Amino acid sequence: MNDINTLLIILFVAIGTYFLRFSGLYLANKLNKIKNVDLFLEAIPVTLLISLIIPSIIKVGTIGIIASIISILIMYKTKNSFFAMSIAVFVVALHRNGLLL
Amino acid sequence: MINNFKYGFKANLPISISVLAYGIVLGVICTSKSITFLQLALMNIFIFAGSSQFVIVDMITNPINLSIIIGSALLINLRYFLITASLNDFFKNSSINKKALFVHFVTDESWAVAINKKRSDLFVYLITAFFAIILERNISNISYIIVSSLIGCYVYVYINKKRSYE
């Protein structure tokens, strides 16, 4: 393994990622002045959250969908994200060990 | 100020469990790819984006193809363009220097929690999340050394025991 190559990868990816982060914030500020762009910007968080979360849930399978529904219900009732997440993880763990369904 | 730090740390606690878990997995993969702890720590601090770090570590083989690894990692990190674009409201009245400094601390986890809370003190919040996640990742990377050395010890004792029976 070449150490310099690894360091070069870290350097270039770090610069690129920083550039992407900064340009998003910088350009959003500029684009804001154009009409109707704010509608698009407002929709980003929900769209991104769904696109990040839904594939992971489907990847786990039926038990993933069941666990996420349980998690949503607990979150709705108790408003405690830590508890809701723990229960969902526990349900998936039980299923993987053959103790459920 | 201290209360804000406390609040940021508390809000990120549920997410830190998953960070700890994938930090350990990343550490274990790194041992098989002979990536040193220092290189991993540099990655954690300067790239600070979980999924692309996994891709980098996965793709590092002998010989290394630099352009493909860098290209793939940046392709995955393209989402940060949209993520920081959505944070524009928080940074409305900030100077360009402040934006340039704090934008590095934005990550999937802290962004998801921050956008939910809609706090005005986002700067303190993101900084706290950054330190919490960095701490968590580095701790989990240290723990892989402990776990792998424990496994090593066990295998050594087991083999020696078997030999003594023979």
Side-chain angles (χ1 to χ4, degrees), chain A residues 96, chain B residues 16-35 40 44 50-51 53-55 57-58 136-145 147-148:
Chain A
R96 283 186 180 168
Chain B
S16 67
I17 297 169
S18 70
V19 176
L20 186 76
Y22 76 67
I24 291 175
V25 174
L26 185 67
V28 170
I29 298 171
C30 284
T31 45
S32 61
K33 301 275 182 181
S34 66
I35 291 171
L40 199 54
N44 284 342
S51 41
Q53 282 174 235
F54 267 98
V55 169
V57 170
D58 254 354
E136 198 82 46
R137 278 198 195 156
N138 283 322
I139 286 174
S140 48
N141 294 337
I142 292 168
S143 68
Y144 90 82
I145 297 170
V147 170
S148 54

Side-chain angles (χ1 to χ4, degrees), chain B residues 2-22:
Chain B
I2 289 169
N3 272 343
N4 286 339
F5 271 106
K6 262 188 193 168
Y7 179 82
F9 203 84
K10 221 176 145 186
N12 277 288
L13 212 57
I15 282 162
S16 67
I17 297 169
S18 70
V19 176
L20 186 76
Y22 76 67

Side-chain angles (χ1 to χ4, degrees), chain B residues 88-146:
Chain B
N88 188 38
D89 280 352
F90 292 108
F91 290 90
K92 228 169 208 169
N93 301 319
S94 323
S95 66
I96 193 103
N97 290 340
K98 207 169 182 182
K99 280 180 185 172
L101 178 66
F102 283 95
V103 83
H104 179 64
F105 305 130
V106 178
T107 180
D108 294 340
E109 295 91 346
S110 61
W111 167 79
V113 181
I115 210 95
N116 181 31
K117 305 285 175 192
K118 291 226 178 236
R119 303 268 302 183
S120 54
D121 46 9
L122 188 80
F123 304 129
V124 178
Y125 187 84
L126 287 177
I127 280 255
T128 319
F130 173 78
F131 283 118
I133 291 169
I134 284 288
L135 189 77
E136 198 82 46
R137 278 198 195 156
N138 283 322
I139 286 174
S140 48
N141 294 337
I142 292 168
S143 68
Y144 90 82
I145 297 170
I146 298 167

Side-chain angles (χ1 to χ4, degrees), chain A residues 29 44 61 83 92:
Chain A
N29 211 16
I44 291 175
F83 183 59
V92 176

Side-chain angles (χ1 to χ4, degrees), chain A residues 76-97:
Chain A
Y76 184 71
K77 285 274 174 206
T78 61
K79 308 269 180 237
N80 186 343
S81 53
F82 184 77
F83 183 59
M85 269 175 63
S86 309
I87 295 291
V89 170
F90 188 63
V91 168
V92 176
L94 279 180
H95 175 73
R96 283 186 180 168
N97 289 299

Side-chain angles (χ1 to χ4, degrees), chain A residues 14 16 21 33-34 38 48 50-51 67 72 90-91 96-98:
Chain A
R21 280 180 171 131
K33 285 158 190 137
I34 306 168
D38 50 338
L48 264 177
I50 291 171
S51 64
I72 291 166
F90 188 63
V91 168
R96 283 186 180 168
N97 289 299

Side-chain angles (χ1 to χ4, degrees), chain A residues 1-3 6-7 9-10, chain B residues 26-43 53-61 64 144-145:
Chain A
M1 179 68 59
N2 195 339
D3 278 353
T6 313
L7 287 176
I9 291 169
I10 295 170
Chain B
L26 185 67
V28 170
I29 298 171
C30 284
T31 45
S32 61
K33 301 275 182 181
S34 66
I35 291 171
T36 60
F37 183 73
L38 183 71
Q39 288 168 341
L40 199 54
L42 282 175
M43 236 189 259
Q53 282 174 235
F54 267 98
V55 169
I56 292 170
V57 170
D58 254 354
M59 287 176 83
I60 286 181
T61 45
I64 296 178
Y144 90 82
I145 297 170

